[in-house]
Amino acid sequence: MPDVHEKFNLANANVVIQSSDGVQFYVHRKNLEMNTGTFPGAEFDTSGEIVHLTEPSEVLEVIFQFVYPQRYPLLEDREFDSLCAIAEAVEKYEVFPAMHTCMYALRQPKHIKDHAPEILCHALKHNYPELVDMIAPKFLLLDPVTTAKKLPVLYVLPWFEYYQACLATVFKKVENYSTNLLSVSGQCYIGTQTTQPQVCHICLPIFFKWLWRLREASSQGRLEEELQKFSFYESSKSHCSSCNSMGSPHRCIHATEVPKLYRKGLSEIPSFSLFLSTNRN
């Protein structure tokens, strides 16, 4: 005989729902009708039969807490697999009060750090542009083909267009900055709107080695680490007088300018959702 959930064993319930692991929930049709989009409404006669669902009792227990007038459960501390299952069920059954709660829980840094691909796919599938735009930049420093393989086919072309646009925004600024950098005067020079920045012959090879490491960074976190590393050179040689005036014998005046350009580029990255809307029109 199936178990009956202790929290949802209401004597005057008129709908019985059974989970995939054999737990029954006695709930009220009116609550399901008012707070969800696809659970049986008043016009649907179950004829006293049990409604079997494919979700386990752990998921249904959370969902049914959102259809009754009470304090809704917090989901931020749940393990990701459990949270993901709840979020998918919430969308499947259109449990409107739970949608925002699930989206907010998925935005937690710990989940984004370890499960960004899954969250991006969920946000794309269920049309959460704010969450899409939060997650998408995390993939910019990864191989675009690898990322595209994780996306639904509908979003592959927009992803490549987004990727190319972002590379132009972030890296072109530094590539333009680094053109013809070798200093004629033998000194490092920041440059102005009308003059070209220059790097002395001591700083130049280390400067380009560092730019290559930035290009090879496999994540935005690693990019930030490389931006920090450029503050001090690995070389023990003395720099030009312009760099030495910075207060350290191993600091280049370009160490502060280049990270500024990268971060400015990152702040100007367009939203992935803009490319989605363009391709849908």
Side-chain angles (χ1 to χ4, degrees), residues 2 8 15-28 32 36-41 44 46 49-65 67 85-86 88-95:
F8 296 95
V15 175
V16 180
I17 296 176
Q18 184 166 315
S19 65
S20 61
D21 53 346
V23 178
Q24 292 184 347
F25 294 79
Y26 286 69
V27 293
H28 295 90
L32 297 177
T36 73
T38 59
F39 274 126
F44 185 81
T46 60
E49 295 183 2
I50 298 172
V51 179
H52 292 266
L53 299 182
T54 58
E55 288 74 26
S57 56
E58 176 191 9
V59 172
L60 296 182
E61 176 187 356
V62 175
I63 286 179
F64 292 141
Q65 290 181 66
V67 302
I86 293 169
E88 283 296 327
V90 162
E91 297 296 331
K92 175 181 176 181
Y93 298 115
E94 298 180 359
V95 187

Side-chain angles (χ1 to χ4, degrees), residues 33-273:
E33 179 185 356
M34 294 179 61
N35 294 290
T36 73
T38 59
F39 274 126
E43 75 287 352
F44 185 81
D45 183 13
T46 60
S47 300
E49 295 183 2
I50 298 172
V51 179
H52 292 266
L53 299 182
T54 58
E55 288 74 26
S57 56
E58 176 191 9
V59 172
L60 296 182
E61 176 187 356
V62 175
I63 286 179
F64 292 141
Q65 290 181 66
F66 283 96
V67 302
Y68 282 90
Q70 60 181 10
R71 286 190 175 184
Y72 297 145
L74 299 177
L75 304 178
E76 290 88 337
D77 294 331
R78 283 188 170 264
E79 294 296 324
F80 180 77
D81 289 345
S82 173
L83 173 60
C84 194
I86 293 169
E88 283 296 327
V90 162
E91 297 296 331
K92 175 181 176 181
Y93 298 115
E94 298 180 359
V95 187
F96 303 116
M99 290 179 175
H100 180 76
T101 301
C102 288
M103 186 182 74
Y104 181 80
L106 288 170
R107 290 165 52 114
Q108 299 303 303
K110 63 179 181 179
H111 294 319
I112 292 176
K113 177 183 176 182
D114 297 329
H115 302 283
E118 296 95 325
I119 298 173
L120 178 61
C121 288
H122 176 84
L124 287 169
K125 178 181 178 181
H126 300 295
N127 192 27
Y128 288 104
E130 180 182 349
L131 189 55
V132 167
D133 292 337
M134 173 184 289
I135 300 295
K138 307 296 181 183
F139 296 91
L140 285 177
L141 299 175
L142 300 178
D143 174 27
V145 176
T146 301
T147 302
K149 289 179 179 178
K150 299 177 181 179
L151 299 177
V153 175
L154 176 65
Y155 304 110
V156 171
L157 179 58
W159 173 257
F160 278 105
E161 293 176 347
Y162 169 73
Y163 181 82
Q164 290 298 323
C166 291
L167 282 187
T169 299
V170 177
F171 289 107
K172 284 297 181 183
K173 289 180 180 293
V174 177
E175 290 175 356
N176 293 338
Y177 183 88
S178 59
T179 303
N180 301 320
L181 274 177
L182 183 58
S183 173
V184 176
S185 64
Q187 299 289 320
C188 283
Y189 177 67
I190 292 296
T192 65
Q193 292 183 346
T194 58
T195 60
Q196 175 69 30
Q198 296 179 346
V199 176
C200 72
H201 69 284
I202 297 174
C203 295
L204 188 66
I206 308 172
F207 181 83
F208 277 104
K209 178 183 177 182
W210 178 74
L211 288 180
W212 179 258
R213 289 206 305 264
L214 289 178
R215 269 292 197 175
E216 292 297 301
S218 60
S219 67
Q220 190 164 331
R222 277 198 56 197
L223 175 60
E224 285 295 332
E225 291 177 7
E226 294 296 341
L227 290 175
Q228 293 296 328
K229 287 180 182 178
F230 193 56
S231 296
F232 290 90
Y233 283 143
E234 300 168 357
S235 172
S236 60
K237 298 178 181 179
S238 298
H239 294 284
C240 65
S241 58
S242 296
C243 294
N244 288 335
S245 67
M246 296 291 290
S248 169
H250 309 307
R251 185 179 176 90
C252 177
I253 60 176
H254 292 281
T256 57
E257 295 302 308
V258 173
K260 285 180 184 177
L261 288 173
Y262 269 103
R263 292 190 176 102
K264 187 173 189 298
L266 289 170
S267 70
E268 296 173 355
I269 287 176
S271 298
F272 185 29
S273 57

